[in-house]
Amino acid sequence: EKESIESIDEASDRMTRLVKNLLLLARLDAQKTSAVANTPVDLGETLRKAVDGALKSSGATANAIELKV
């Protein structure tokens, strides 16, 4: 019985996340012009930040990943 309750609880959590994501998608879709879509982005800088963050969180060294932009 405990396993069934845990399984239902996990499914409920997944469904809650799904509904929240769908609501967010609907809100974004309802906005005809998105500030994100109209903002230029320096992709190289964005990638550098992502790689730096990944390196810091993983404890890897800068030599472990090579980024060519």
Side-chain angles (χ1 to χ4, degrees):
E1 185 176 326
K2 183 178 179 181
E3 290 174 4
S4 296
I5 292 172
E6 288 174 358
S7 177
I8 292 169
D9 187 47
E10 290 171 2
S12 173
D13 289 342
R14 284 192 304 273
M15 292 297 290
T16 299
R17 286 192 307 272
L18 175 62
V19 169
K20 285 181 179 181
N21 288 337
L22 288 172
L23 288 171
L24 175 61
L25 181 60
R27 282 193 294 269
L28 292 173
D29 192 42
Q31 298 172 355
K32 301 273 186 225
T33 57
S34 171
V36 173
N38 294 324
T39 304
V41 175
D42 180 349
L43 187 55
E45 182 62 23
T46 302
L47 287 171
R48 281 185 200 87
K49 287 180 181 178
V51 170
D52 286 345
L55 288 172
K56 287 177 185 173
S57 66
S58 71
T61 65
N63 296 330
I65 297 176
E66 182 179 344
L67 175 64
K68 293 181 182 181
V69 179

